[in-house]
Structures are given as structure tokens and as C-alpha cells.
């Protein structure tokens, strides 16, 4: 009888815990992103304006890139890229270089920067070939004149985005099926955070977060990133990135718990 009561109480406790975790995921009303009409007759300038919206929104480009900043972010500053692109890689036109940078971002790494930019035509970003043309038009306009239209043919257009695998982030976060660490690759966390060493990227390193924050504080940092912002980092970037990637719509309570448990286990060199 006593064993039965213990099992019952344990079952209730587990159910209550997962109910609590489920309520940690924001129950917000989301609307589909505004549809941008990509008409076949768009001029290069009109296409560039649409590209600007994609860069700032669906493409999440400004999470890691700056435009005209004195100090670049994790990836190169895009100010003036329209003028530099034609001279960046021998034998490549500006369109070739910009297209490769989006479809094959790790084929050429600008000196002084590390690889790791995800393919933008691959989930979770998942830009279409037409959207990529719009982005290229916008990038051309940064220091140059846009020339591409929706009729422009790109070498990698139409591919299934499976031919290139970006270098796996350090710290054992490769691929699906790799335990809780794989979730940090799935949700692009390792694009902005280091898990295995000190030193900031776009956001602070998480290699010792378990020694600095409780599990409750880690939950809050994920679910409400602007509640407490690490010193030296601007507010709004993480929350905007998670919303743009639809993290709060995609993550499950079980995944969230696994991520928090894993982060809580990271104690740095201790």
C-alpha cells in the first residue's frame, strides 16, 4: 500500500512538473509574416527594397552582421559590400560571390573571421531562390548598384541545400541524435554562443553558465531574454532572433527541459 502511494505521488509530481514546463513556453498569438509579393517585373531597385526587408526579418542576417558599424559582429560588416564583392574572390563577379556567400557560406571565409554561417536556403532560415535574389540585390545596393532581377540565374538555385555541411560547432553539438547538445545546433544557439570555452561571439559564452545561474534563471534567460541582459551586451538581439526563427513555436517542453538541464551542467573549468 505504501509503495502504491509513493508511485502515485511520484506520478503526480512528474505530471505537475511537465505542466509547469509547458506553461513556461509563452502562450502568445502569432500571425504569419506579411506576404511580400515577388512580381516577375520587379526592377533591381524594387527587388533590393524587398531584400532589405528580408535581411532585417526572415533572413535574420543582422543577428551576426552589422551594416556600417565601426566594430563588426561575429561575421563581417556588410557596409560597402556591393563595391567589394566583385573583387573579393578571383574569377567571381559580384553576383557570383554574393550567391556563394549565401548558398555556400563556408566556401570562402573572410580573413579574421571564423566559419559557421548557416546556409540561408536551408532550415530553419529557409529562404527561397527568389528571396535570395532579393537579398543579393540589396547587398549590391550597399556601396554599389543592384543589377539582378528575378530572371537572373544563380549557379546554386534549385538545389536541395543538402550538399554542404557547415563545420560542426566545437563541444560535441553535431547533428540530430547527438543528445541534448544537438538541440543547440538545431535552434542555431551555437551561432551566437560558445558552449565549450570562454569568450563571446554575438552573445556571452555559456561554457560556465551552470555555475553562474540557477535552472530557474536559465529558463528565464531563454523565455524572456530581456528580463536580465548580461553586462556589455545590447538588449533585444536574442529575443528578436528567437522570434524570427520561431523558436517559441517550435520548441517542445521536453526539448526546453533538456536544454536547461544541459546548460545547468556546464560549470566551466571546475
Amino acid at each position: 500500500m505504501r509503495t502504491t502511494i509513493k508511485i502515485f505521488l511520484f506520478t503526480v509530481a512528474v505530471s505537475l512538473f511537465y505542466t509547469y514546463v509547458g506553461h513556461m513556453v509563452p502562450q502568445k498569438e502569432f500571425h504569419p509574416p506579411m506576404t511580400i509579393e515577388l512580381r516577375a517585373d520587379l526592377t533591381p531597385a524594387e527587388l533590393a527594397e524587398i531584400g532589405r526587408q528580408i535581411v532585417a526579418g526572415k533572413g535574420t542576417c543582422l543577428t551576426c552582421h552589422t551594416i556600417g558599424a565601426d566594430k563588426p559582429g561575429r561575421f563581417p560588416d556588410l557596409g560597402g559590400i556591393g563595391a567589394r564583392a566583385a573583387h573579393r574572390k578571383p574569377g567571381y563577379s559580384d553576383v557570383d560571390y554574393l550567391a556563394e556567400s549565401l548558398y555556400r557560406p563556408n566556401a570562402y571565409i573572410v580573413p579574421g573571421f571564423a566559419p559557421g554561417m548557416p546556409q540561408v536556403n536551408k532550415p530553419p532560415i529557409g529562404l527561397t531562390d527568389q528571396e535570395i535574389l532579393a537579398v543579393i540585390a540589396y547587398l549590391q545596393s550597399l556601396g554599389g548598384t543592384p543589377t539582378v532581377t528575378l530572371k537572373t540565374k544563380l549557379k546554386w538555385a534549385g538545389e536541395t541545400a543538402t550538399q554542404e555541411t557547415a563545420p560542426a560547432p566545437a563541444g560535441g553539438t553535431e547533428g540530430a541524435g547527438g543528445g541534448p547538445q544537438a538541440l543547440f545546433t538545431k535552434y542555431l544557439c551555437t551561432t551566437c554562443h560558445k558552449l565549450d570555452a570562454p569568450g563571446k561571439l554575438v552573445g556571452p559564452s555559456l561554457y560556465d553558465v551552470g555555475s553562474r545561474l540557477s535552472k530557474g534563471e536559465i529558463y528565464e534567460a531563454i523565455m524572456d531574454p530581456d528580463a536580465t541582459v548580461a553586462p556589455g551586451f545590447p538588449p533585444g538581439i536574442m529575443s528578436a532572433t528567437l522570434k524570427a526563427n520561431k523558436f517559441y513555436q517550435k520548441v517542445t517542453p521536453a526539448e526546453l527541459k533538456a536544454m536547461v538541464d544541459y546548460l545547468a551542467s556546464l560549470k566551466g573549468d571546475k
Side-chain angles (χ1 to χ4, degrees), residues 36-54:
I36 299 176
E37 183 182 3
L38 288 167
R39 306 187 322 272
D41 63 345
L42 287 169
T43 66
E46 291 172 331
L47 194 60
E49 172 55 26
I50 291 174
R52 182 189 66 78
Q53 298 175 47
I54 294 171

Side-chain angles (χ1 to χ4, degrees), residues 189-205:
C189 307
T190 48
T191 299
C192 297
H193 297 282
K194 289 184 178 181
L195 293 175
D196 66 332
K200 67 179 181 179
L201 295 176
V202 176
S205 173

Side-chain angles (χ1 to χ4, degrees), residues 13-209:
V14 170
S15 298
L16 289 174
F17 174 77
Y18 277 103
T19 299
Y20 167 73
V21 171
H23 284 295
M24 291 288 290
V25 180
Q27 304 300 310
K28 300 180 180 179
E29 181 180 358
F30 288 91
H31 299 279
M34 182 178 62
T35 300
I36 299 176
E37 183 182 3
L38 288 167
R39 306 187 322 272
D41 63 345
L42 287 169
T43 66
E46 291 172 331
L47 194 60
E49 172 55 26
I50 291 174
R52 182 189 66 78
Q53 298 175 47
I54 294 171
V55 164
K58 181 179 177 182
T60 69
C61 309
L62 301 185
T63 300
C64 296
H65 290 283
T66 53
I67 299 178
D70 293 332
K71 185 177 180 180
R74 182 185 180 190
F75 297 139
D77 184 83
L78 299 177
I81 187 62
R84 297 193 303 272
H87 310 288
R88 180 74 85 183
K89 192 170 180 179
Y92 273 52
S93 68
D94 60 337
V95 175
D96 292 335
Y97 172 74
L98 293 171
E100 183 182 71
S101 297
L102 296 168
Y103 286 102
R104 294 285 183 274
N106 297 293
Y108 175 83
I109 305 300
V110 176
F113 293 90
M117 173 177 161
Q119 289 176 258
V120 300
N121 64 324
K122 183 178 181 180
I125 298 174
L127 297 187
T128 67
D129 292 329
Q130 289 186 323
E131 289 171 332
I132 289 173
L133 280 168
V135 170
I136 291 174
Y138 173 63
L139 294 176
Q140 284 185 305
S141 76
L142 298 177
T145 301
T147 62
V148 301
T149 69
L150 291 180
K151 295 180 181 179
T152 301
K153 301 298 182 183
L154 301 177
K155 178 179 178 180
W156 298 278
E159 292 186 350
T160 57
T162 59
Q163 289 96 332
E164 179 188 90
T165 302
T173 58
E174 45 290 285
Q181 303 97 315
L183 294 171
F184 293 88
T185 298
K186 174 181 177 180
Y187 291 116
L188 298 183
C189 307
T190 48
T191 299
C192 297
H193 297 282
K194 289 184 178 181
L195 293 175
D196 66 332
K200 67 179 181 179
L201 295 176
V202 176
S205 173
L206 301 177
Y207 93 115
D208 63 345
V209 66

